[in-house]
Amino acid sequence: SDGRRTPPWRRKGENSEAAAAAKSGSGDAAATKSAEDGIEGSVVDGIPRSTGEKTWRAEVIVPREGGAGPLGKRGTTAIRGPNRTNKEQASDDVENLVAAFKAGGANEIRKVQRELNRSWVKK
């Protein structure tokens, strides 16, 4: 052996299901899809607070602006909101971000994202 260890996500054993869920991003996510515009919004697990308190955050996946790439695919971008200690507040963030994208595209959703992140800092 050359002394290197196997990364945790490749190890087999008691945590393999948790590692697979974390890698796939499934976790405890409540998803809402809007297939007609290519927008997908969900509430995903956030980063736990220093006290160990669980958090959630909004994640909205939107199509990239511009035409299709070299393989004919347009691609997507994930827009995330701030960590919230209240899951309903994160769900409201998803609705706000989706509405902003539908109203004004990428520029508008980024503007709302900045406002949400600033509102978290103020509280």
Side-chain angles (χ1 to χ4, degrees):
S1 172
D2 60 3
R4 292 188 296 180
R5 295 179 51 166
T6 304
W9 64 87
R10 289 195 181 161
R11 291 182 198 152
K12 298 191 191 264
E14 68 278 352
N15 290 331
S16 60
E17 289 177 17
K23 188 175 178 184
S24 69
S26 61
D28 182 21
T32 58
K33 291 189 178 186
S34 179
E36 69 275 359
D37 350 23
I39 303 169
E40 181 180 335
S42 60
V43 174
V44 298
D45 293 339
I47 300 168
R49 300 188 70 140
S50 60
T51 60
E53 186 178 10
K54 194 170 180 159
T55 64
W56 296 270
R57 66 193 308 187
E59 182 177 88
V60 179
I61 298 175
V62 297
R64 289 184 190 268
E65 287 193 336
L71 299 176
K73 295 182 181 179
R74 190 169 177 189
T76 57
T77 300
I79 308 292
R80 294 181 183 95
N83 290 313
R84 304 286 194 183
T85 55
N86 184 332
K87 200 168 188 177
E88 288 76 31
Q89 194 173 12
S91 181
D92 292 343
D93 291 348
V94 170
E95 292 173 13
N96 291 337
L97 290 167
V98 169
F101 184 78
K102 287 181 179 180
N107 289 336
E108 188 65 24
I109 196 170
R110 291 287 186 185
K111 191 162 92 174
V112 170
Q113 180 189 33
R114 283 191 297 274
E115 290 169 6
L116 289 173
N117 286 325
R118 285 188 193 118
S119 73
W120 179 82
V121 171
K122 290 178 189 173
K123 292 181 182 178

